[in-house]
Amino acid sequence: MEHNSEIVAEGKLIADTTYLDRARKYTELAIEGIKIDFYDAKNRVVHEVKKSDKVEQAHLAQVKYYLAVLSRNCIEAPEAIIEYPKLKQREFLKWSESFVKEAEEWEAKAAAIIQSEHCPELIQKGICKKCAYYELCYIEEI
Ligand code: SF4
């Protein structure tokens, strides 16, 4: 759903206009259903830019998942930097083997939801308004 999301587009615009030489220095990487906008292949570092004005657990989880996917595709001990231009702050994420187990647990939960005959209940949290899936989750049958 991210291709339809204005919020995702806004985040990409901030990333593209804040770090002007980034697209030249780093590569876009699409693998196993994830898309990393800025990957420094030489140093094995993911650069993730967040437009948010606060550090959220979901940002860390997203990047941990990226690192787990890279690891199982033979990238040794990948790391990440999450950058918050609005906060002028960076979060550094060092590689940990625990990311692999966490990623497997998340995948198992996602698979269980996908295979279920029933949609899960709406969580109805504030984060939903910023989620790319908002329209899909909150659509109402007429
Ligand atoms: S909009 Fe849907 S997918 Fe997004 S956080 Fe809310 S319940 Fe989850």
Side-chain angles (χ1 to χ4, degrees), residues 47-109:
H47 291 262
E48 178 70 20
V49 181
K50 291 295 177 198
K51 73 180 188 67
S52 173
D53 52 14
K54 68 173 191 266
V55 177
E56 290 177 20
Q57 208 51 38
H59 304 157
L60 290 171
Q62 175 192 2
V63 172
K64 280 184 191 178
Y65 189 74
Y66 286 176
L67 297 184
V69 169
L70 290 175
S71 171
R72 71 184 174 209
N73 283 277
C74 304
I75 306 294
E76 197 180 328
E79 297 183 351
I81 303 172
I82 310 175
E83 299 177 86
Y84 295 85
K86 284 187 184 170
L87 295 175
K88 300 198 185 318
Q89 187 177 328
R90 290 171 150 193
E91 295 288 319
F92 293 86
L93 205 58
K94 293 263 179 216
W95 170 249
S96 163
E97 287 295 332
S98 68
F99 298 163
V100 174
K101 191 163 184 299
E102 278 184 280
E104 287 170 356
E105 287 169 2
W106 295 330
E107 285 171 331
K109 285 181 186 168

Side-chain angles (χ1 to χ4, degrees), residues 99-140:
F99 298 163
V100 174
K101 191 163 184 299
E102 278 184 280
E104 287 170 356
E105 287 169 2
W106 295 330
E107 285 171 331
K109 285 181 186 168
I113 291 170
I114 291 164
Q115 284 158 16
S116 169
E117 289 189 10
H118 305 286
C119 285
E121 293 291 315
L122 273 178
I123 60 169
Q124 302 215 30
K125 293 208 168 161
I127 196 172
C128 292
K129 291 200 175 100
K130 295 189 280 177
C131 178
Y133 291 88
Y134 181 83
E135 287 184 21
L136 194 69
C137 288
Y138 284 80
I139 194 166
E140 287 183 21

